[in-house]
Amino acid sequence: MTESAPSTLAGDAPVLDLFAPDFAPDSAETLAAQEKSWYAATSVGVAVLRYEQAQKLLRDPWLWQSPTVFHAMQGVTAGPFVDWWADTLLGAEGDHHARLHRLVAPAFRPARMEAMRSMARRAIEGLVERVADRGEVDVVAELTDLYPTLVLSELLQVPESVGAQARGWTATFTLGFGLQVAEHIDAVNDAAVNLGALMDELIAHRRAHPVEGLVSDLISAEAEGDRLSHPELRAMLMGLLFSGHDTVRNQLASGLLLFAQHPDQWELLARRPELASLAVEEILRLIPCVPVISRTPREDMEFEGVPLPVGSFVAVLIPTAHRDPLVYGPDAGFRVDVPRPATLAFGAGIHSCLGVSLARVELHEALLALTRRFEAPVPAGPVQWRAPGGIFGPNRLPVVLTPRPAAG
């Protein structure tokens, strides 16, 4: 799993092949590279391996989000998906980003996301009730894929059927952020067209029938006489459906697998539910659903003596940085009762995730409901993982869920 280092990074830096089929940010080889250096050389730039440098680079305003450049390297320069990305907050930079953020941030205020807690609780408890006596369950198909759809349907004030219709398209969207975009671009573009048409219908309905809520707030959002254009509004809602569904789906499923491997931590959380917030952060630390966050320099620059040429990539390996012994000590194993430094799983700087509050609420409520109702999940078959790239997690996770004995 090695390759020739770029000439601009020649020297003693370890070398990693990000495109190797077996590459993993938490592999023994990657962690061995971390012991030698804060970065590794790759064929497209540097891979950041340590927490301090990762945090600084994610916050650096001279580094921009990189998917557009990455798409162009693969020959993908136009089409519905590229057009969608150009109108998103994540895809915008500089004054364009500042304008969009000024318009949309109030609609994602933490208080609104926190107000979704009771809905998230009802949604997960309803799903738990469906599988309570099932025994063996594929938790992806029967819990984690459905749960965020129910929450998003409430947030967007649409029938559950609308969220369910979008679910397949949002799963396809993640292929647009992987390492083989060109191979999947037709399917990704089709998903962008279909999801965009669905959002056009939602926007038209809400313009005709405004109610208090997030969509109406985005439609009426105004700052200094400026408003979102229709393509910007459509792109914002498409991004919300995509990220709000696929991230929670995969993060919760990965977290349940982590608990299945550490049943003692599941039982600790069941005894001490006040640890749920720490448990969420620990899941985000060890198995984040976005394992690589990439940036690209706006111009030739240097960081800690390492040249970062314009057009190259800075690939921040989040699970690697989250295991940095300089920050977490020599034993960074899974512990739900140990406070940790701030997670990098939601990015940092101007491109931090706007939906972070809602994601934490959903994960928190799910862990409480599941640990209260069931003993630790027991693996019941092989895990089928999504192909690496973009948002990562299990496509199938069979476990046995055993109800806890009734109290008394």
Side-chain angles (χ1 to χ4, degrees):
M1 195 175 69
T2 58
E3 60 185 11
S4 298
S7 59
T8 54
L9 299 175
D12 297 331
V15 179
L16 294 174
D17 182 1
L18 303 183
F19 298 91
D22 61 343
F23 173 77
D26 58 350
S27 70
E29 181 178 3
T30 308
L31 295 177
Q34 182 190 63
E35 294 180 3
K36 300 176 183 177
S37 172
W38 66 264
Y39 77 98
T42 81
S43 61
V44 292
V46 301
V48 184
L49 309 175
R50 290 186 183 161
Y51 182 92
E52 179 183 355
Q53 288 81 5
Q55 188 177 59
K56 288 179 179 178
L57 287 165
L58 287 174
R59 294 180 179 277
D60 194 320
W62 291 100
L63 292 167
W64 283 357
Q65 290 272 54
S66 61
T68 301
V69 178
F70 194 62
H71 294 155
M73 289 176 61
Q74 300 185 59
V76 178
T77 58
F81 182 76
V82 171
D83 293 343
W84 166 76
W85 179 258
D87 283 322
T88 65
L89 191 61
L90 281 174
E93 300 291 351
D95 292 342
H96 185 201
H97 180 276
R99 170 182 166 270
L100 289 178
H101 191 275
R102 185 168 58 248
L103 286 167
V104 307
F108 291 87
R109 55 190 179 272
R112 166 171 280 158
M113 302 300 106
E114 180 63 28
M116 295 295 297
R117 184 176 295 279
S118 60
M119 171 56 204
R121 185 177 302 137
R122 290 195 303 272
I124 191 62
E125 287 178 349
L127 293 172
V128 164
E129 190 63 32
R130 291 188 201 175
V131 301
D133 300 316
R134 191 80 56 81
E136 182 175 328
V137 174
D138 176 5
V139 294
V140 175
E142 302 202 54
L143 288 174
T144 73
D145 193 41
L146 304 175
Y147 174 45
T149 297
L150 296 172
V151 176
L152 287 169
S153 296
E154 178 76 11
L155 180 64
L156 298 178
Q157 296 165 306
V158 297
E160 182 186 338
S161 59
V162 173
Q165 188 176 9
R167 199 160 56 227
W169 296 327
T170 60
T172 302
F173 241 47
T174 194
L175 298 172
F177 297 92
L179 302 178
Q180 292 84 30
V181 179
E183 296 178 19
H184 305 289
I185 193 59
D186 289 343
V188 172
N189 279 334
D190 285 346
V193 170
N194 289 323
L195 195 56
L198 189 65
M199 293 304 96
D200 285 341
E201 293 178 12
L202 172 60
I203 293 167
H205 176 76
R206 196 52 71 213
R207 286 188 189 279
H209 307 281
V211 296
E212 174 64 27
L214 184 139
V215 178
S216 291
D217 280 2
L218 289 175
I219 290 173
S220 62
E222 182 174 355
E224 301 174 4
D226 188 18
R227 288 180 180 271
L228 294 173
S229 68
H230 181 80
E232 289 168 343
L233 179 58
R234 181 204 300 127
M236 184 64 59
L237 293 173
M238 289 169 64
L240 175 61
L241 270 177
F242 158 63
S243 59
H245 169 253
D246 214 38
T247 54
V248 174
R249 169 196 191 271
N250 287 284
Q251 194 62 74
L252 180 55
S254 295
L256 292 176
L257 176 60
L258 197 57
F259 272 113
Q261 297 165 341
H262 299 84
D264 60 316
Q265 296 301 297
W266 181 273
E267 293 305 325
L268 176 59
L269 179 57
R271 293 194 305 272
R272 298 181 57 191
E274 71 274 12
L275 296 176
S277 293
L278 287 180
V280 169
E281 300 308 304
E282 191 71 341
I283 290 170
L284 293 168
R285 180 177 74 89
L286 287 176
I287 192 163
C289 66
V290 182
V292 180
I293 299 178
S294 58
R295 297 283 190 266
T296 189
R298 297 167 54 181
E299 58 188 42
D300 291 344
M301 60 181 290
E302 187 175 283
F303 179 81
E304 296 195 5
V306 177
L308 303 177
V310 65
S312 66
F313 284 85
V314 177
V316 181
L317 307 188
I318 302 300
T320 317
H322 281 168
R323 289 169 168 80
D324 186 351
L326 298 180
V327 174
Y328 298 96
D331 180 13
F334 183 50
R335 291 281 303 276
V336 301
D337 58 343
V338 177
R340 307 286 194 182
T343 182
L344 303 176
F346 295 106
I350 66 169
H351 285 301
S352 296
C353 176
L354 269 181
V356 57
S357 297
L358 180 58
R360 283 191 166 108
V361 164
E362 290 179 81
L363 294 170
H364 185 277
E365 291 302 319
L367 292 182
L368 287 178
L370 289 162
T371 53
R372 182 168 55 244
R373 190 63 179 270
F374 299 110
E375 297 177 359
V378 177
V383 180
Q384 295 179 3
W385 291 95
R386 174 178 285 183
I391 298 175
F392 188 59
N395 275 332
R396 184 173 184 273
L397 177 57
V399 300
V400 173
L401 293 175
T402 301
R404 292 189 182 281

